Amino acid sequence: MKHGVRLAILICCLFSTTLFAAKTKVQLLLSAEAAKPSDTVLVAVQMKMPTGWHTYWKNSGDSGSPTEIEWTLPEGVRAGEIQWPVPRKEITPAGDMKFVTYIYDGGATLLVPLKIASDISPGEKSISAKISWQECETMCVLGNANVSTSL
């Protein structure tokens, strides 16, 4: 029974993701406008969800999937690991069971260090990323956005 309920929830989420557009807005913000060779600059992936909607932490719990970042970086710039903010723990009763998920509602800012190589060539550098996430309210939707900024 326990696995049947989880399977039903997963199937509902998968089918609903193709029917509705994502609501979350995403942008990239840099901790500095300029950097020197060997510097580390933080890039913030700022996500803003409408009231009632949420996205998921790196360990989403019993449902959901975490935000993923696919970087397109110039030669001489390397992205580190995502620094995740502390999520909110949500407990949802389902019959005699409880589902625990770790979510962000309202907004979340994921920080990623960008390491600048010591031998990088001077000039403006384009920083781009494809951000993918799952957001939920009463139904779940897969979202993605291509975002960019310059350093």
Side-chain angles (χ1 to χ4, degrees):
M1 177 67 178
K2 181 172 148 178
H3 297 293
V5 171
R6 286 185 181 181
L7 182 59
I9 290 171
L10 177 63
I11 290 170
C12 287
C13 284
L14 290 175
F15 282 116
S16 68
T17 59
T18 59
L19 300 176
F20 301 95
K23 310 275 187 221
T24 300
K25 304 294 182 209
V26 180
Q27 66 177 340
L28 291 183
L29 303 170
L30 293 172
S31 63
E33 291 180 16
K36 299 179 290 203
S38 300
D39 279 356
T40 298
V41 176
L42 286 177
V43 61
V45 176
Q46 187 177 65
M47 304 177 76
K48 292 186 179 180
M49 297 73 102
T51 301
W53 288 83
H54 62 266
T55 61
Y56 294 90
W57 184 50
K58 66 180 176 180
N59 173 9
S60 57
D62 290 324
S63 66
S65 57
T67 298
E68 296 180 357
I69 306 170
E70 184 180 320
W71 293 103
T72 302
L73 300 170
E75 192 169 323
V77 179
R78 186 173 40 94
E81 295 294 316
I82 298 172
Q83 298 174 17
W84 298 82
V86 175
R88 182 173 67 80
K89 181 178 181 179
E90 181 173 73
I91 300 173
T92 307
D96 61 342
M97 299 171 31
K98 292 181 181 177
F99 291 101
V100 177
T101 53
Y102 299 93
I103 65 170
Y104 302 112
D105 43 14
T109 301
L110 310 178
L111 298 177
V112 178
L114 297 180
K115 180 65 179 164
I116 312 300
S118 60
D119 60 349
I120 194 168
S121 60
E124 187 172 300
K125 307 295 180 193
S126 178
I127 309 295
S128 301
K130 179 180 180 184
I131 314 296
S132 303
W133 67 91
Q134 181 180 16
E135 63 185 38
C136 299
E137 185 192 35
T138 55
M139 66 182 64
C140 297
V141 178
L142 295 178
N144 65 66
N146 293 309
V147 291
S148 62
T149 190
S150 294
L151 176 66

